[in-house]
Amino acid sequence: MTEQAQQARALLSLREVTRRFGGLVAVDRLSFEVPEGGVFSVIGPNGAGKTTAFNLISGLVPPSDGQLLFRGASIVGTKPYELARLGLARTFQNIRLFGAATVWENVAVASALRAPTGFVQAMWRLAGFEASRKAQEAAALEWLDFVGLSSLRNELARNLAYGQQRRLEIARALATRPSLLLLDEPAAGMNPRETEDLVELIGRIRALGLTVLLIEHDMPLIMRLSDRIAVMNFGHKIAEGTPAEIQANPEVIKAYLGDGEEG
Amino acid sequence: MPLTLRKPLLLGILLVLPALLLSLPQGEYQLDVAMTVLLYVALALGLNVTVGLAGLLDLGYVAFFGLGAYATAILMHGGPAEAAAAGGWSYWMAVPAAVAVAGFAGLLIGLPTLRLRGDYLAIVTLAFGQIAKLTENNWDALTNGPQGMEVAKPVLFGLELRAGWQLYYILLLFVLLTWWSVRNLNNSAIGRAWVAIREDEIAAASTGVNVPRIKLLAFVMGASIAGLAGSFFAVKQGFVSPPSFDFIETVTILAMVVLGGIGSLPGVVLGAAMLAALPELLRSMPTLLGLEGQFDVTPYRMLLYGAAMVVVMALRPEGLLPDAHRRAELHPHEDRPESIPGREEARA
């Protein structure tokens, strides 16, 4: 396949993206293409710039330099809520739920994006209000079912167990109906059982036809799930390839796996 | 308190209390107190949208109340006593205009300032409140300065509504409309977006909430309600002048919101009713207790008022009738917010 054709198919493209914080270059001329469908992972040691890369893609931090393209159109300067509308959703490394709201309300905030309620319509219960309300609630319950939390829908988000909070955050992201889902270390702090459930959940998300962009530390998880992996170190991309290629890459072994032990 | 107990309680406050007041010998004094209470209920409902629901600390709130009052006075061609009421607008046209003026002012102030967070927004709105009052005091040509303006009474089908009870029912209508509108918003996607912003602005934005727009809606909504209250205040008093729109009024209304239960509609209604009625109740307490003439409570009125506020805040920091979400913040292990409305369908 020519490079041109590959770019045309790319859902998300980073071209020479740089982000400086004062004297620190957190992300340095980072380029990669996320094709439509499948799981694309970004790995790297702590401080490699993965989360900054995510914040750049999701519009929370503007790039100092370079281009970000979503479906071929520039998204530099696009606000986070506009990105959500375009079909880009994310979760956070440090879970960010609406803690004092219930589980279903958390997801309903997201489902309102695709079934919006007008202000005056909501204030005076005008025509169409009931339809949008029902659509929001039905979608919220549907996604809660999808992640297996519907029995906890009236619980406060902050009272959920850690693994459940992660799933709720994923449900909330899914309810915005994204085409690209960014998961920032979804397995962090999970026990093996919860991690196993997460692998199964990401498999089902992928089966829906969504593209998943994943940051993760859990190497076995990455190797099982990913179609393609980019490796970062000190803000640079040092390698990109299939899981097998990455595992055999001496550069990666040196930078990331250190002693070369597989794992 | 479970939801089942809340609704009758709210109905009680809104319907039984005024009915009781009206069944009393219909002295103008009782009616005046009842109207003051209802006016504060409306103002507190409006400030609750901005501060309680969306979490935006607006310290210039009373300026919108003043704008509504002055807009009404000016449109009805109020002015110095001799010039008043010659060919002005009818009250019924001045009301929506006053609401629009206050709402538009909210939009103008909100657009540049709502990017600011927390303390900074409070400072800017505080300054706006002072500017509004100074303008009212000094723009003689428009507002007649410190002398204030006389305002005509509303006229309905050729009948001038002068009696206290007539004005009372107009106000009750306004308050019910306000309460219904705010309640509807609160129980909708807009209300959920407000909670989301209050809880975590970044997560809300990433979830597709248009944060600046939703904040602005809360700000404009609060300002419009204050404008409506101001419009009524102008005709009820028959007179508007700058001292009515002092900063201390914003503080009083904020105290009502916090004391009643920030974010909670029944709480805010109760808080406003309590704080507005308490000074008057304290004034008439010796009479009510049959101790008239034996002691004079008037000098200690505000002391008792302050003490009552301290006691409530110490015993119920979340307010008298707290919002479920707020209660969860202060008492994380107690009962849960109301459940999803459509749960029966969902379960089926």
Side-chain angles (χ1 to χ4, degrees), chain A residues 34-64:
Chain A
V34 180
E36 189 137 27
V39 176
F40 189 104
S41 295
V42 179
I43 62 170
N46 279 325
K50 306 181 300 289
T51 291
T52 303
F54 252 39
N55 287 343
L56 287 162
I57 295 166
S58 55
L60 296 182
V61 171
S64 309

Side-chain angles (χ1 to χ4, degrees), chain A residues 74-254:
Chain A
S74 173
I75 52 167
V76 173
T78 308
K79 302 215 163 48
Y81 71 84
E82 292 166 337
L83 289 172
R85 195 148 303 175
L86 288 174
L88 200 149
R90 69 167 293 174
T91 64
F92 295 87
Q93 188 180 345
N94 316 307
I95 304 171
R96 304 187 78 135
L97 291 168
F98 311 128
T102 60
V103 166
W104 82 266
E105 284 171 330
N106 266 270
V107 186
V109 170
S111 57
L113 182 67
R114 303 298 173 198
T117 305
F119 184 78
V120 179
Q121 192 183 48
M123 183 163 60
W124 289 331
R125 294 287 188 261
L126 302 181
F129 171 79
E130 276 304 309
S132 71
R133 183 184 69 84
K134 286 204 175 107
Q136 286 159 13
E137 287 175 8
L141 290 177
E142 199 179 301
W143 289 113
L144 283 177
D145 258 338
F146 187 80
V147 301
L149 289 177
S150 51
S151 62
L152 295 167
R153 61 181 166 266
N154 293 323
E155 195 62 64
L156 287 186
R158 70 150 54 92
N159 294 344
L160 295 189
Y162 187 80
Q164 293 168 336
Q165 291 195 351
R166 286 242 174 252
R167 299 171 85 84
L168 176 56
E169 221 192 5
I170 292 173
R172 186 179 68 183
L174 286 171
T176 65
R177 307 304 305 269
S179 44
L180 177 64
L181 178 65
L182 282 66
L183 300 176
D184 194 351
E185 298 202 21
M190 282 190 170
N191 63 37
R193 173 67 215 279
E194 288 170 331
T195 305
E196 217 35 59
D197 289 346
L198 181 75
V199 170
E200 184 264 350
L201 177 61
I202 294 175
R204 282 192 289 126
I205 291 170
R206 169 206 199 123
L208 291 174
L210 267 74
T211 308
V212 177
L213 181 57
L214 182 69
I215 291 182
E216 196 38 77
H217 269 305
D218 187 323
M219 289 307 280
L221 180 100
I222 287 280
M223 295 304 163
R224 274 169 70 192
L225 277 172
S226 308
D227 295 294
R228 202 165 174 81
I229 300 171
V231 188
M232 285 181 76
N233 200 12
F234 300 112
H236 298 278
K237 183 175 85 175
I238 57 169
E240 189 185 326
T242 61
E245 285 165 2
I246 294 298
Q247 275 173 311
N249 187 313
E251 188 81 10
V252 176
I253 291 165
K254 199 175 112 212

